[in-house]
């Protein structure tokens, strides 16, 4: 019996896959628990349409990520901070502050988790941070930290 998995099933396959299972396993276990549906022509068309919709959605997300990466080349985020002793920062600048200032200055809402910082910024100057927008798509964001 051929079935289309609706959820991941351990030892059988991932969601959306069409697999061959024994008649009893499919009819008595997978289908009643809504883990799978029978591989009829209608269900196969629905599966194919869902795959096409997913491919379109991924393509749109990748295009948007590339556009953001291009925007980041021209953007500089300005952050003012208190100075401590020796021309260093009093405290540090974190990815949370960079994300909120980016939204405030340029209207771009990026989650702080996507801004890659090895460690927080602890001195004045201009820094280039990587922003992970999508797998394999990153942008470079310039951050300028000045004295308050």
């Amino acid at each position: 019996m051929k079935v289309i998995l609706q959820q991941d099933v351990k030892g059988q396959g991932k969601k959306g896959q069409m697999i061959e299972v024994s008649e009893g396993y499919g009819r008595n276990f997978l289908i009643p628990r809504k883990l799978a549906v029978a591989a009829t022509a209608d269900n196969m068309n629905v599966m194919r349409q869902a795959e096409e919709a997913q491919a379109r959605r991924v393509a749109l997300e990748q295009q948007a990520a590339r556009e953001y990466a291009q925007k980041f080349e021209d953007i500089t985020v300005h952050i003012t901070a208190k100075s401590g002793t020796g021309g260093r920062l009093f405290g540090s600048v974190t990815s949370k502050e960079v994300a909120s200032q980016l939204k405030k200055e340029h209207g771009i809402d990026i989650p702080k988790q996507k801004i890659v910082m090895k460690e927080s910024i602890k001195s004045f100057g201009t820094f280039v941070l990587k922003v992970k927008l999508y797998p394999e798509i990153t942008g470079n964001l310039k951050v300028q930290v000045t004295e308050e």
Side-chain angles (χ1 to χ4, degrees):
M1 170 180 213
K2 288 192 178 205
V3 295
I4 300 170
L5 295 176
Q6 299 294 90
Q7 297 177 13
D8 292 354
V9 178
K10 188 174 182 178
Q12 296 298 321
K14 302 277 185 191
K15 179 180 179 180
Q17 275 185 318
M18 185 169 52
I19 60 171
E20 180 78 32
V21 295
S22 67
E23 193 80 22
Y25 183 60
R27 185 164 295 141
N28 297 323
F29 183 78
L30 293 175
I31 294 174
R33 287 181 171 79
K34 298 197 182 349
L35 297 174
V37 293
T40 63
D42 289 339
N43 289 337
M44 291 180 67
N45 283 337
V46 169
M47 181 183 79
R48 195 172 305 112
Q49 288 174 348
E51 288 174 353
E52 291 171 0
Q54 176 68 16
R56 280 194 301 273
R57 188 170 35 256
V58 166
L60 288 173
E61 288 173 357
Q62 286 177 340
Q63 182 63 30
R66 285 189 192 95
E67 289 172 7
Y68 273 126
Q70 285 293 323
K71 280 185 185 179
F72 287 156
E73 297 297 324
D74 303 329
I75 290 177
T76 301
V77 177
H78 302 283
I79 297 176
T80 58
K82 292 182 182 179
S83 65
T85 58
R88 294 181 50 85
L89 286 177
F90 183 74
S92 62
V93 176
T94 62
S95 60
K96 181 179 179 181
E97 294 174 63
V98 173
S100 66
Q101 192 66 21
L102 179 65
K103 184 174 182 176
K104 189 186 296 181
E105 283 183 16
H106 303 284
I108 299 174
D109 190 18
I110 297 289
K112 68 179 184 176
Q113 294 84 357
K114 292 191 176 205
I115 299 173
V116 178
M117 297 176 79
K118 291 180 182 166
E119 56 185 44
S120 53
I121 298 171
K122 297 182 180 180
S123 61
F124 296 109
T126 303
F127 302 90
V128 178
L129 303 177
K130 289 198 179 290
V131 181
K132 284 190 165 190
L133 299 167
Y134 204 79
E136 291 103 31
I137 299 176
T138 59
N140 292 325
L141 178 66
K142 292 182 199 115
V143 177
Q144 184 175 18
V145 181
T146 57
E147 194 172 344
E148 197 171 75

